Amino acid sequence: MIHSLFLINHTGDIFLEKHWKSVISRSVCDYFFEAKEKAGDPENVPPVLQTPHHYLITIYRGKLFLLSVIQTEVPPLFVIEFLHRVADTFQDYFGECSEGVIKDNVVTVYELLEEMLDNGFPLATESNVLKEMIKPPNILRSVVNTLTGSSNVGDTLPTGQLSNIPWRRAGVKYTNNEAYFDVIEEIDAILDKSGTTVFAEIQGVIEACVRLTGMPDLTLSFMNPRLLDDVSFHPCVRFKRWEAERVLSFIPPDGNFTLMTYHVSSQNLVAIPVYVKQSISFFESGSCGRLDITLGPKQTMGKMVEGLTVTIHMPKTVLSANLTATQGNYTYDLATKVLVWDIGKLNPQKLPNLKGSLSVQAGAPKPEENPSLNIGLKIQQLAISGLKVSRLDMYGEKYKPFKGVKYVTKAGKFQVRT
Amino acid sequence: MTDSKYFTTTKKGEIFELKAELNSDKKEKKKEAVKKVIASMTVGKDVSALFPDVVNCMQTDNLELKKLVYLYLMNYAKSQPDMAIMAVNTFVKDCEDPNPLIRALAVRTMGCIRVDKITEYLCEPLRKCLKDEDPYVRKTAAVCVAKLHDINAQLVEDQGFLDTLKDLISDSNPMVVANAVAALSEIAESHPNSNLLDLNPQTINKLLTALNECTEWGQIFILDCLANYTPRDDRESQSICERVTPRLSHANSAVVLSAVKVLMKFMEMLPKDLDYYGTLLKKLAPPLVTLLSAEPELQYVALRNINLIVQRRPEILKHEMKVFFVKYNDPIYVKLEKLDIMIRLASQANIAQVLAELKEYATEVDVDFVRKAVRAIGRCAIKVEQSAERCVSTLLDLIQTKVNYVVQEAIVVIKDIFRKYPNKYESVIATLCENLDSLDEPEARAAMIWIVGEYAERIDNADELLESFLEGFHDESTQVQLQLLTGIVKLFLKKPTETQELVQQVLSLATQDSDNPDLRDRGYIYWRLLSTDPVAAKEVVLAEKPLISEETDLIEPTLLEELICHIGTLASVYHKPPSAFVEGSRGVQHKRLPGSAGSGESVDSPDTGSAAGVSEAPPAVIPSQGDLLGDLLNLDLTPPTTTGPPPPTSGMQMGAMDLLGGGLDSLLGGDLGGNPAMAAGFGAPPAVMPTSFNAPVSGGLDDLFDLGGGVGMPMGSYSPPKTVWLPAMKAKGLEISGTFARRSGVIQMEMTLTNKAMSVMTDFAIQFNRNSFGLAPAGPLQVLTPLSPNQSIEVSLPLNTVGPVMKMEPLNNLQVAVKNNIDVFYFSCQYPISMLFVEDGKMERQVFLATWKDIPNDNESQFQIKDCHLSSDAASNKLQGSNIFTIAKRTVEGQDMLYQSIKLTNGIWVLAELRVQAGNPNYTVSLKCRAPEVSQSVFQSYEAVLKN
């Protein structure tokens, strides 16, 4: 199972290590550094590396590498999932997962790692359970602790660990009982030069924030559950009822959690909210090129498209961009060669346009590749797949909770080829 | 202490200060001090000097402080074993604490202290904790057994902890079950044969129940454990599948993939016509697609596994091509994997889309990716014939971009397209030649030279082109040198008049100036060929080449099966069996997919006893026409003697011998003869080779060919000894014994006719009933002289296979009617099916792989050949004599796998995998054939051939 964990920042310093079995020398990370060197971009480091005696499985999150060392045949997905869970837990506890906060909270981090893994086997990874055993740092609490002499660590056995519902603690109490659900859909799409959809799908997720007293048993039903043919659920969802009745029936964890993710891939259901007219060309002679991009609404279901951005990774030889935007601002980062055009709201009456010239390094050959456009956007109050929650019912408790559902559609990996 | 080298900044004062704080009376101060110590420890500073002071803080009722001290202890106990003993008492006491959290914590920490002396004290508390009333303690203790086993395996066995652990599989709490399974699996890994996880239907049921209720990690352990089970029948298999499918909707991708593994494995046992089988196939696609929307690291592992799944069951994802389209900001490792799968899924239906995508990729930034995309276009052309033309034009477009590495890559794949579709796209050669100068990679240069040599007759300036390469001959890589040599020889054979100088130049470069043995040898062989018999040389060098097949990178079927059993593991990421790379996996057992319910012969039921060789089969006489006379006659007859096996046919004459012996046949007719320079050039080789050139070389070649003859054709086709087909008593005194043989491609029925009657027999004739393979006499039965009483005659009857066909039972049964002047007699006999194995039954390696994959698993049957003491090479030679051709051989852990092909006279191919383990006289042979009915007979032939 998982033998050791090393936390490494993006410059390649190991700033924390934890061993669950015998100690493994940090020099094992040299193999990783070698691969990192070779890959260039930190995102391109292969996640599974073989060394003479160990396997290194790495994830890259928030400019940090979480590198785990394993010695025997272990499912790599298991390790990768666990590492992401570690990063999620840090995020949950400290607000972010960065070298700074980890160093500031090194003892809590250590306690957490010890609690999450025993002999390389995951022990407690549910945020609800962990928080009962190790209190998250909090200025107020440390003051209280100093005054009363109480500690950060719970001394009762966390109830969730053993009940049939390991994700929910007992004895939850709120004065305001509320349950909110956010239906978030991301459009992943590839459009070709002419604007035809090469590939499109929707990645949907329902994030929940549930603060309800006691042991509520919730049922969430949809107007059109047939849309969802491929779903994955939080362990709390009763799969049998979904199979039989297409409703989500569950006892929720306390607080924030992801209730389900789904994806819709049938092309006809995926609406493309904007169209892009673009031309980026470089001239054979003379060191310049031209760029002209216009965006317009396509299938927006009558809603406003907001937060519109266009990101272009320019060829390495492009030195600067001299452009005019009819709406919003653009920036060109010389170091990363990324052009970002931040448009904001899309006005169907006056379509935003970005136009001008690009200057290319003198003497350099005409760039071989065509830069792709990455589109960012957001549409409030709309799930682009048409998914709608019809009702939420609660059983098991007497009070009347406050309920709310929000919809939002965003662009995921939305690319336009040129 | 490995950490000591990072010990740089701790000043003496700091340690002193901490020491004082640790010994402070105030709880808070103590705790803060321990925290500081831990903080130093985590960044790799050496604070081991504080050991006694920290351990002193252990006896506290403050849980947080206790935990911190435990953390410290785990880290440093190893370096301070004597000190660590001090902590033992507290541990033992804590294991009795009323609070289960503390009991669990104590037993958990003790297991992490890797000091022998402490482990002795651990046994008693551990035993108690394994039986603790609180499941939280039990589940922690279960893991502790695995820890202890890692430190001292013997101790764990002696103390009987393994049995306790096995009992925990039946625990009432699912979390305890999951941890017990995890611990046992880990222990089992170092004890491959210990049978720790004894899976039976009862335990399986318990695991399946626990599966629904335990944590996601527990589900992974249980699913991986389930995958090792072999269900008894298809019904059990289906019920397990039904209970595992809900896991496909789990949010944790590792759970999903482990569930996929179980389903892929157990599916093998389901009959394909079952409705549930189809349902299951449909259910597998969406979760696999979902895995691709996860983080890139997860995607990578998922893609490596999908690559395997697609090879095994392409139908699952055949409609999901689009999800594998590459996004420009995918990490490179994801891009390359996606590309691989796209090609595997490419078919006539989606090829247009795929090509458009590939063309797009070929203009990306990343060089590795672009190269692979260009190669992929070539592979599409080879795989989907209808698309070849489109692919070629796409490649030409790419060549026009003049991007150096794209051009080179394109030329390499165009060469392969030529090899697949000869004489179809040669019009593009002119374009290729334009780019000759820009090629700087050996592979591309070699490919270009191959093209020029192969099509020399259509390229006007082929000689100039090749000559230009020749200038820097010694600076080229071996690959290019070899290709250049062959290319120029081809050119010479096609245009002999203008290129004599060139060919002599390259031959002398290869043989005299090179120290590369491959190059020299090839050079000499060409030289010899050209100097002795240029016509033969032409036949050899310009022989028609077999076409390359579509799938060049399929994983071997057995390996694929094994890898399917390892879905989700490191093996599936590396596409190697675990035994090939996992350290410490002593003798990992090879996993195999369970046999399907459809195939009658399952793995362990080959009844070799009844599958007797053909020769033992008693001859059956159909109409019992025996009369009194026959009976009487039989009384005083000596038992019919079976003649020994016919003399083995002599080894095939190697035509090559003629090649050497033959004189200088003229390729150019009078031309060559009239050209003394040329003749001299070939006849009298230059300085390096002294005048005795002919002798040693030809001697050497003789040996080579002898060897070839010896190895290839040891004894000719196997033929069983003669047996009595028609006893005299049933045929009014005519006795027929016989056998079948295959000689130089002709099936012979060899019979001994004996007259045991009183009168002369004449007018023999023979006729066959319709039979399975259409065997029929190719001519009349030649018995020219009348057969006098007590006289025998040997007759050889050539057979053909163009007669009427009717399926017989058994398949190789042949009903024969023989007539003479007395009467008509009927008998039936069985011919060894190996008579029907034709000489051109050697399948192309790639075709074999593809075919093996293509034939459904239901058609596979497995047999055992007992008591065979041949080495795999000897067996292979022996089989080859009977036209069972070994195509490839692979050795895995002392086990030789021979892949063999057989072609029957009616065009049926039989593919075989013969497994031979050194020292084990029992061979296993798996046969795959589109007509599975023949398997049994083919197997009998195997047995007969190998045992004779």
Side-chain angles (χ1 to χ4, degrees):
Chain A
M1 291 288 123
I2 300 171
H3 210 112
S4 302
L5 174 72
F6 293 94
L7 299 186
I8 300 169
N9 65 19
H10 67 284
T11 57
D13 300 320
I14 305 172
F15 64 91
L16 192 131
E17 57 185 287
K18 169 90 182 108
H19 307 275
W20 283 275
K21 294 183 171 184
S22 50
V23 175
I24 290 175
S25 158
R26 316 180 150 210
S27 57
V28 75
C29 298
D30 293 348
Y31 295 98
F32 167 76
F33 294 134
E34 210 173 281
K36 180 170 174 267
E37 195 68 37
K38 216 165 109 195
D41 197 348
E43 265 139 32
N44 284 339
V45 187
V48 184
L49 294 171
Q50 190 181 1
T51 80
H53 302 286
H54 305 94
Y55 299 91
L56 308 179
I57 297 184
T58 324
I59 63 160
Y60 183 64
R61 282 254 312 239
K63 298 201 171 163
L64 287 187
F65 290 102
L66 281 76
L67 180 149
S68 65
V69 183
I70 59 175
Q71 232 169 353
T72 48
E73 174 69 89
V74 177
L77 273 189
F78 167 99
V79 181
I80 296 172
E81 278 278 356
F82 178 80
L83 293 177
H84 277 294
R85 209 59 62 84
V86 169
D88 291 342
T89 308
F90 291 164
Q91 185 116 26
D92 190 27
Y93 263 71
F94 314 123
E96 58 175 315
C97 176
S98 70
E99 187 182 357
V101 296
I102 291 174
K103 277 183 167 166
D104 288 346
N105 297 286
V106 70
V107 177
T108 314
V109 166
Y110 225 70
E111 285 175 322
L112 281 172
L113 291 176
E114 184 60 30
E115 211 54 62
M116 291 180 82
L117 216 56
D118 177 23
N119 192 40
F121 300 125
L123 196 58
T125 51
E126 278 289 333
S127 150
N128 265 285
V129 176
L130 278 172
K131 278 187 179 155
E132 253 179 276
M133 290 193 286
I134 301 157
K135 295 276 183 292
N138 168 321
I139 301 163
L140 187 68
R141 182 165 320 109
S142 44
V143 174
V144 175
N145 282 353
T146 342
L147 291 179
T148 59
S150 69
S151 85
N152 255 359
V153 176
D155 58 356
T156 52
L157 189 59
T159 43
Q161 284 252 337
L162 293 167
S163 63
N164 270 342
I165 32 173
W167 54 85
R168 187 174 179 91
R169 62 197 172 97
V172 184
K173 267 213 164 75
Y174 288 104
T175 39
N176 293 324
N177 288 294
E178 37 190 31
Y180 297 110
F181 296 88
D182 289 357
V183 179
I184 303 161
E185 294 194 341
E186 291 193 353
I187 308 169
D188 284 357
I190 303 176
L191 307 185
D192 71 5
K193 273 191 248 299
S194 59
T196 325
T197 311
V198 176
F199 159 81
E201 66 176 10
I202 296 169
Q203 305 289 348
V205 57
I206 300 184
E207 298 282 0
C209 172
V210 177
R211 300 168 184 281
L212 297 173
T213 307
M215 273 292 166
D217 196 334
L218 303 179
T219 306
L220 187 75
S221 37
F222 299 100
M223 309 266 271
N224 39 8
R226 302 276 156 214
L227 279 176
L228 310 170
D229 50 4
D230 182 13
V231 287
S232 18
F233 296 121
H234 189 276
C236 68
V237 176
R238 297 182 181 101
F239 191 72
K240 284 224 170 83
R241 285 207 56 193
W242 169 257
E243 288 265 274
E245 304 164 47
R246 298 273 143 177
V247 295
L248 298 182
S249 156
F250 55 99
I251 296 176
D254 187 39
N256 297 323
F257 66 101
T258 303
L259 180 63
M260 73 180 284
T261 60
Y262 57 92
H263 97 258
V264 179
S265 52
S266 11
Q267 299 278 313
N268 46 354
L269 289 174
V270 184
I272 303 294
V274 293
Y275 70 83
V276 181
K277 269 197 205 154
Q278 42 75 28
S279 92
I280 301 177
S281 52
F282 297 98
F283 303 119
E284 207 62 72
S285 58
S287 44
C288 65
R290 288 205 59 78
L291 178 147
D292 188 344
I293 304 173
T294 311
L295 279 86
K298 207 170 167 188
Q299 296 160 280
T300 59
M301 320 279 172
K303 306 275 185 191
M304 171 74 83
V305 178
E306 302 168 38
L308 202 55
T309 59
V310 177
T311 311
I312 311 171
H313 283 263
M314 287 292 179
K316 292 219 160 39
T317 47
V318 175
L319 290 179
S320 66
N322 185 14
L323 309 166
T324 341
T326 57
Q327 186 188 339
N329 305 311
Y330 79 91
T331 53
Y332 181 63
D333 184 338
L334 194 58
T336 57
K337 307 285 177 193
V338 175
L339 176 78
V340 181
W341 177 26
D342 188 346
I343 304 166
K345 283 185 185 163
L346 178 64
N347 180 356
Q349 269 72 51
K350 196 170 161 290
L351 299 180
N353 169 272
L354 180 73
K355 188 171 173 177
S357 63
L358 303 167
S359 68
V360 181
Q361 204 174 328
K366 185 183 161 217
E368 283 150 13
E369 74 268 17
N370 304 321
S372 287
L373 274 56
N374 241 21
I375 310 291
L377 58 85
K378 201 164 152 185
I379 306 172
Q380 302 282 7
Q381 310 297 324
L382 173 73
I384 198 101
S385 70
L387 185 75
K388 272 215 161 67
V389 173
S390 63
R391 53 184 298 150
L392 176 72
D393 300 303
M394 187 182 77
Y395 307 94
E397 297 289 336
K398 297 245 160 12
Y399 56 86
K400 259 200 136 24
F402 188 81
K403 303 177 277 197
V405 180
K406 241 174 41 184
Y407 301 90
V408 62
T409 294
K410 295 177 188 169
K413 289 176 179 162
F414 193 116
Q415 304 185 350
V416 183
R417 290 176 178 161
T418 61
Chain B
M1 193 70 227
T2 47
D3 283 348
S4 59
K5 67 175 166 182
Y6 303 103
F7 167 58
T8 46
T9 56
T10 312
K11 291 158 282 188
K12 229 182 187 154
E14 209 175 325
I15 295 276
F16 270 126
E17 225 168 81
L18 281 171
K19 206 179 179 86
E21 281 177 42
L22 283 170
N23 291 316
S24 149
D25 295 336
K26 283 187 193 144
K27 252 192 198 166
E28 257 330 284
K29 206 157 195 182
K30 250 187 190 174
K31 201 164 85 185
E32 284 311 306
V34 176
K35 277 194 175 178
K36 276 186 207 161
V37 172
I38 301 277
S40 309
M41 185 179 91
T42 54
V43 293
K45 282 184 192 167
D46 185 1
V47 284
S48 59
L50 295 167
F51 199 90
D53 309 281
V54 177
V55 171
N56 272 338
C57 305
M58 191 170 162
Q59 293 205 8
T60 167
D61 47 5
N62 183 317
L63 191 59
E64 190 188 13
L65 185 54
K66 200 175 236 8
K67 277 192 169 182
L68 291 171
V69 175
Y70 280 179
L71 273 178
Y72 179 89
L73 259 176
M74 283 185 249
N75 218 5
Y76 286 119
K78 186 108 191 161
S79 58
Q80 311 259 348
D82 295 328
M83 293 286 210
I85 295 286
M86 286 165 42
V88 163
N89 264 337
T90 321
F91 278 129
V92 174
K93 216 174 83 196
D94 282 355
C95 286
E96 310 263 329
D97 197 279
N99 183 343
L101 201 56
I102 294 199
R103 292 203 295 277
L105 185 63
V107 77
R108 181 171 132 202
T109 314
M110 261 181 112
C112 293
I113 298 179
R114 307 175 64 85
V115 175
D116 278 343
K117 283 181 192 159
I118 289 210
T119 47
E120 287 168 27
Y121 294 98
L122 175 59
C123 293
E124 275 323 300
L126 178 57
R127 197 187 312 282
K128 259 184 220 156
C129 289
L130 280 167
K131 303 239 156 91
D132 199 286
E133 53 171 20
D134 194 305
Y136 181 71
V137 181
R138 290 203 299 278
K139 82 169 200 173
T140 316
V143 174
C144 189
V145 176
K147 293 182 194 167
L148 192 58
H149 187 272
D150 192 32
I151 304 168
N152 189 342
Q154 195 56 46
L155 185 73
V156 170
E157 279 168 45
D158 294 346
Q159 296 279 336
F161 285 139
L162 291 182
D163 293 323
T164 324
L165 205 51
K166 280 190 221 168
D167 294 343
L168 287 184
I169 292 191
S170 316
D171 199 279
S172 57
N173 184 293
M175 245 83 86
V176 179
V177 177
N179 273 14
V181 168
L184 280 172
S185 306
E186 195 183 70
I187 295 172
E189 215 170 306
S190 51
H191 280 257
N193 300 314
S194 57
N195 200 18
L196 276 174
L197 279 160
D198 180 25
L199 298 174
N200 55 47
Q202 286 75 39
T203 45
I204 290 296
N205 203 25
K206 273 171 195 144
L207 291 181
L208 285 169
T209 314
L211 183 62
N212 289 329
E213 292 169 14
C214 65
T215 65
E216 50 199 309
W217 314 109
Q219 293 183 12
I220 300 169
F221 297 138
I222 291 179
L223 286 169
D224 285 346
C225 179
L226 276 178
N228 291 327
Y229 177 65
T230 312
R232 286 163 306 173
D233 51 27
D234 50 330
R235 204 159 334 126
E236 189 184 9
S237 182
Q238 179 177 348
S239 96
I240 296 177
C241 288
E242 277 166 358
R243 292 176 73 176
V244 167
T245 22
R247 299 301 123 207
L248 292 175
S249 296
H250 201 286
N252 186 319
S253 59
V255 175
V256 174
L257 201 57
S258 289
V260 169
K261 163 162 62 185
V262 175
L263 296 174
M264 281 293 286
K265 190 175 167 190
F266 288 8
M267 229 166 135
E268 298 283 335
M269 292 191 64
L270 299 177
K272 285 203 169 151
D273 44 359
L274 197 68
D275 285 347
Y276 181 70
Y277 178 84
T279 322
L280 197 53
L281 272 184
K282 275 196 210 107
K283 278 192 176 169
L284 277 170
L288 289 173
V289 171
T290 303
L291 290 179
L292 297 182
S293 53
E295 285 83 359
E297 299 93 358
L298 296 169
Q299 276 187 50
Y300 171 73
V301 177
L303 285 165
R304 291 294 284 174
N305 280 287
I306 288 173
N307 199 327
L308 295 175
I309 293 168
V310 164
Q311 287 186 58
R312 180 81 192 168
R313 297 197 181 276
E315 62 269 33
I316 296 179
L317 287 168
K318 65 175 177 221
H319 299 302
E320 304 289 350
M321 169 65 86
K322 286 190 172 181
V323 297
F324 299 103
F325 285 1
V326 172
K327 304 193 176 81
Y328 84 89
N329 47 3
D330 281 335
I332 179 74
Y333 55 83
V334 168
K335 285 183 179 175
L336 296 176
E337 290 306 318
K338 280 187 173 173
L339 202 51
D340 226 31
I341 295 171
M342 279 174 67
I343 303 163
R344 290 203 196 286
L345 290 176
S347 67
Q348 204 184 334
N350 55 24
I351 194 75
Q353 275 183 333
V354 174
L355 265 184
E357 279 296 300
L358 292 176
K359 199 175 174 186
E360 195 71 45
Y361 304 160
T363 61
E364 280 235 18
V365 201
D366 198 306
V367 178
D368 284 344
F369 180 58
V370 171
R371 281 175 180 276
K372 196 157 180 182
V374 176
R375 253 176 216 236
I377 297 175
R379 275 171 66 188
C380 284
I382 291 166
K383 191 169 175 197
V384 185
E385 186 164 358
Q386 293 81 357
S387 75
E389 195 159 347
R390 267 220 309 298
C391 296
V392 172
S393 78
T394 309
L395 287 169
L396 282 182
D397 287 352
L398 290 173
I399 288 176
Q400 298 306 345
T401 63
K402 303 276 176 200
V403 178
N404 190 276
Y405 53 86
V406 173
V407 173
Q408 309 211 35
E409 213 60 52
I411 285 180
V412 173
V413 296
I414 287 182
K415 173 203 69 180
D416 288 338
I417 295 177
F418 284 168
R419 289 173 64 200
K420 170 80 180 178
Y421 310 110
N423 305 318
K424 223 167 160 192
Y425 301 109
E426 282 70 23
S427 52
V428 308
I429 291 177
T431 322
L432 303 186
C433 289
E434 287 165 19
N435 293 285
L436 210 64
D437 301 332
S438 62
L439 308 180
D440 52 11
E441 291 162 19
E443 205 182 349
R445 287 174 80 86
M448 194 62 219
I449 295 171
W450 183 87
I451 293 171
V452 174
E454 186 69 17
Y455 298 102
E457 69 274 26
R458 315 188 187 196
I459 305 172
D460 294 337
N461 59 345
D463 48 344
E464 283 168 38
L465 294 176
L466 291 176
E467 199 169 1
S468 67
F469 283 102
L470 207 54
E471 282 159 21
F473 189 79
H474 288 297
D475 302 327
E476 299 283 4
S477 74
T478 314
Q479 190 185 9
V480 181
Q481 289 176 333
L482 285 169
Q483 207 48 259
L484 199 50
L485 174 62
T486 305
I488 293 180
V489 170
K490 280 184 194 163
L491 172 69
F492 169 72
L493 290 168
K494 288 176 176 175
K495 301 181 178 174
T497 36
E498 315 105 79
T499 54
Q500 288 163 25
E501 255 173 63
L502 196 59
V503 77
Q504 287 191 33
Q505 201 183 340
V506 75
L507 284 174
S508 90
L509 278 170
T511 53
Q512 294 167 40
D513 302 346
S514 167
D515 48 8
N516 181 317
D518 287 347
L519 190 61
R520 276 175 50 130
D521 288 356
R522 195 187 283 192
Y524 277 129
I525 288 172
Y526 282 142
W527 200 325
R528 245 357 249 164
L529 272 172
L530 292 172
S531 61
T532 46
D533 188 352
V535 177
K538 202 166 184 173
E539 273 166 25
V540 171
V541 178
L542 302 182
E544 200 172 312
K545 283 164 276 296
L547 303 181
I548 59 168
S549 91
E550 45 257 50
E551 297 287 352
T552 46
D553 57 343
L554 282 180
I555 296 177
E556 259 180 288
T558 22
L559 179 59
L560 181 62
E561 283 192 10
E562 193 177 350
L563 290 177
I564 289 285
C565 298
H566 288 284
I567 284 178
T569 66
L570 284 167
S572 69
V573 174
Y574 287 108
H575 291 185
K576 288 179 195 162
S579 50
F581 64 95
V582 173
E583 194 172 272
S585 61
R586 283 141 283 189
V588 172
Q589 282 153 335
H590 287 275
K591 295 184 184 172
R592 271 183 70 89
L593 290 173
S596 118
S599 72
E601 293 82 10
S602 80
V603 182
D604 22 39
S605 67
D607 189 359
T608 41
S610 71
V614 183
S615 51
E616 281 112 65
V621 175
I622 323 154
S624 81
Q625 293 189 334
D627 54 13
L628 193 63
L629 179 65
D631 281 334
L632 283 171
L633 280 169
N634 202 31
L635 282 176
D636 51 9
L637 280 176
T638 46
T641 47
T642 47
T643 49
T649 48
S650 59
M652 207 168 78
Q653 279 295 318
M654 298 300 296
M657 300 298 284
D658 296 339
L659 234 168
L660 291 166
L664 227 163
D665 272 318
S666 163
L667 173 67
L668 305 165
D671 248 351
L672 184 65
N675 187 339
M678 174 82 184
F682 283 135
V688 223
M689 274 303 167
T691 38
S692 62
F693 176 78
N694 269 322
V697 172
S698 63
L701 283 173
D702 268 344
D703 289 348
L704 185 71
F705 288 126
D706 279 351
L707 188 69
V711 171
M713 291 279 149
M715 47 173 47
S717 167
Y718 161 73
S719 157
K722 278 184 182 169
T723 47
V724 178
W725 284 338
L726 184 69
M729 54 175 281
K730 308 250 178 183
K732 301 184 178 164
L734 174 66
E735 184 186 85
I736 301 178
S737 60
T739 183
F740 293 87
R742 186 180 181 91
R743 302 195 201 285
S744 342
V746 180
I747 308 166
Q748 304 274 0
M749 185 170 182
E750 296 180 341
M751 289 177 289
T752 308
L753 309 182
T754 310
N755 184 351
K756 293 189 173 171
M758 305 297 182
S759 56
V760 176
M761 293 178 181
T762 55
D763 302 333
F764 285 95
I766 194 164
Q767 211 164 11
F768 291 175
N769 194 358
R770 284 194 259 182
N771 55 70
S772 316
F773 293 92
L775 278 175
L781 187 62
Q782 302 278 342
V783 185
L784 298 173
T785 50
L787 198 57
S788 340
N790 272 331
Q791 196 194 348
S792 286
I793 188 172
E794 305 268 339
V795 201
S796 190
L797 178 70
L799 307 181
N800 61 29
T801 52
V802 294
V805 176
M806 181 176 81
K807 197 178 163 189
M808 300 295 289
E809 191 58 46
L811 208 62
N812 55 349
N813 200 21
L814 182 66
Q815 296 180 343
V816 184
V818 172
K819 182 193 103 107
N820 62 9
N821 57 338
I822 300 169
D823 205 343
V824 180
F825 311 105
Y826 302 91
F827 66 89
S828 79
C829 55
Q830 292 179 11
Y831 50 91
I833 204 166
S834 60
M835 296 303 117
L836 305 171
F837 298 170
V838 298
E839 279 68 22
D840 62 341
K842 183 155 189 164
M843 208 179 230
E844 180 77 5
R845 212 180 154 110
Q846 303 304 340
V847 180
F848 181 87
L849 276 178
T851 316
W852 183 278
K853 190 186 145 208
D854 214 37
I855 297 178
N857 289 327
D858 286 356
N859 287 5
E860 183 172 351
S861 25
Q862 210 175 62
F863 305 92
Q864 286 238 319
I865 300 171
K866 295 223 167 91
D867 294 326
C868 192
H869 296 277
L870 295 168
S871 74
S872 60
D873 288 336
S876 165
N877 285 334
K878 226 171 170 179
L879 291 168
Q880 179 147 359
S882 293
N883 295 336
I884 300 175
F885 298 96
T886 303
I887 290 159
K889 179 179 164 183
R890 194 164 69 98
T891 305
V892 179
E893 301 207 326
Q895 181 163 272
D896 289 333
M897 315 261 210
L898 301 176
Y899 296 92
Q900 302 175 319
S901 70
I902 298 164
K903 189 178 164 192
L904 298 181
T905 44
N906 57 356
I908 292 181
W909 284 93
V910 182
L911 310 189
E913 182 200 79
L914 182 67
R915 273 180 283 155
V916 180
Q917 183 123 37
N920 181 352
N922 297 339
Y923 294 5
T924 312
V925 54
S926 307
L927 298 174
K928 252 188 164 181
C929 180
R930 290 192 204 278
E933 305 90 306
V934 304
S935 297
Q936 182 69 30
S937 320
V938 171
F939 159 68
Q940 286 171 4
S941 294
Y942 258 89
E943 201 168 42
V945 171
L946 285 172
K947 290 199 175 167
N948 284 281

